Amino acid sequence: MKVKTAAKINLTLDVVGKLENGYHALESVFQTVGIYDEVEVVLNESGEITLTCDSPAEFGFIPCDERNIAYKAARRFLDENGMVDGCEIHISKGIPSQAGMGGGSTDAAAVIYCLQALTGRSLAHAEKLGADVPFFLTGGTAYVTGIGENIATAPDYSGRILVIAKGSEGVSTAEAYSLIDALEAPAHPDTKALMDAISSGGEEYVHFGNLFEQAIKLGSVDRIKSVMSANGGLGATMTGSGSAVFGLFKSYEEAEKCSALLRTEGYFAQVCETVSKAFIEL
């Protein structure tokens, strides 16, 4: 079975507390977007899991063994269901790494989706694989709290035109959270105002926001936002813990022009739309 599996952005992302187990409590609006990896899963009788990956050199190193979250998803699925089968996984990467776009988590979700379809069985507690994995099994627009495991449907935000761009700088999640903890009197994004604006058709982009952006302060993020804002981009904001930036555009013409400008400066830049589901079967 083969699927295209979508990336995500955070229209808002806030850290609202710290749990007793040391994890951070989040409040966010997640949105799937039309930048995809392709994931193929073949179930076999080998009893082994193999993973191969095609990835552009600029995306950096992608582990193709038990360190990869897609491999971990297959292992957990087979073990939890008491299956002695093996499987072959192949991933073609289109989602940049260390971008805050959930590239690894969406691959893991795609493996679960395929294995569920191939076997008629399911996997409990997908959040144990990674905080973003349960969202990708739902996709679309979602209000997300806790560590990512509490997912509620939010007003539909599909069909919007975006440019998503990223520099060569990456951010580790652990480093990002340590910087968040060091913030003093940060300005928190207003997630409720964002959802109200989407529902009412208001100017939702004025409520885009990401607490991590205040903590991390990457030069590439500032430059990308500046180019977007000067070329028709609305509400340009970093996604996740970085380092990709998305901006909303009113037309494809403006979006394509801005994307081309960013590419001339050496950034990854792609025009896409917000989409209502994570998986497209091929």
Side-chain angles (χ1 to χ4, degrees):
M1 186 173 182
K2 189 175 184 179
V3 298
K4 290 171 66 175
T5 187
K8 64 87 180 164
I9 57 172
N10 301 87
L11 301 179
T12 63
L13 179 56
D14 197 9
V15 176
V16 296
K18 202 165 186 179
L19 306 176
E20 290 183 1
N21 60 9
Y23 286 100
H24 291 74
L26 305 177
E27 182 182 44
S28 182
V29 176
F30 280 35
Q31 175 65 54
T32 39
V33 297
I35 296 178
Y36 296 95
D37 286 352
E38 291 186 4
V39 177
E40 184 174 15
V41 177
V42 179
L43 202 61
N44 59 40
E45 298 178 353
S46 69
E48 298 180 354
I49 297 168
T50 60
L51 190 152
T52 55
C53 186
D54 293 327
S55 179
E58 61 266 27
F59 285 6
F61 173 69
I62 306 291
C64 290
D65 53 24
E66 63 275 2
R67 292 171 292 174
N68 191 299
I69 189 173
Y71 184 106
K72 293 175 183 177
R75 181 78 279 154
R76 181 179 288 272
F77 186 97
L78 296 174
D79 289 350
E80 185 173 301
N81 285 287
M83 299 172 64
V84 295
D85 304 74
C87 71
E88 302 167 25
I89 303 165
H90 182 71
I91 301 171
S92 295
K93 295 294 294 182
I95 303 169
S97 303
Q98 286 195 312
M101 297 173 67
S105 294
T106 198
D107 293 344
V111 168
I112 295 168
Y113 177 82
C114 290
L115 287 174
Q116 288 180 158
L118 290 168
T119 67
R121 305 186 189 191
S122 61
L123 176 72
H125 303 297
E127 74 277 1
K128 291 183 178 179
L129 289 162
D132 291 347
V133 175
F135 164 72
F136 285 109
L137 294 169
T138 305
T141 314
Y143 173 65
V144 179
T145 57
I147 62 167
E149 81 282 14
N150 300 322
I151 302 167
T153 301
D156 178 51
Y157 195 65
S158 59
R160 272 64 169 193
I161 302 166
L162 303 175
V163 173
I164 298 179
K166 178 188 179 294
S168 59
E169 296 171 289
V171 180
S172 77
T173 302
E175 178 188 5
Y177 277 107
S178 68
L179 292 169
I180 283 283
D181 290 338
L183 283 176
E184 295 183 9
H188 292 272
D190 192 338
T191 297
K192 182 180 184 302
L194 171 73
M195 292 197 294
D196 289 345
I198 294 173
S199 296
S200 65
E203 294 184 336
E204 78 291 346
Y205 57 85
V206 302
H207 302 296
F208 293 164
N210 184 347
L211 193 66
F212 285 92
E213 192 175 322
Q214 298 175 48
I216 293 169
K217 298 178 180 177
L218 292 175
S220 61
V221 168
D222 291 341
R223 177 57 186 164
I224 291 168
K225 289 178 65 176
S226 176
V227 173
M228 287 181 176
S229 297
N231 290 276
L234 304 172
T237 303
M238 191 178 80
T239 183
S241 58
S243 59
V245 175
F246 66 92
L248 178 70
F249 286 77
K250 292 182 178 179
S251 72
Y252 269 100
E253 183 179 9
E254 286 183 316
E256 293 287 1
K257 179 183 176 183
C258 181
S259 181
L261 284 170
L262 287 164
R263 287 194 294 273
T264 64
E265 294 193 17
Y267 296 111
F268 166 92
Q270 189 167 327
V271 178
C272 64
E273 289 189 9
T274 53
V275 297
S276 60
K277 60 183 180 179
F279 308 122
I280 300 173
E281 295 185 17
L282 299 173

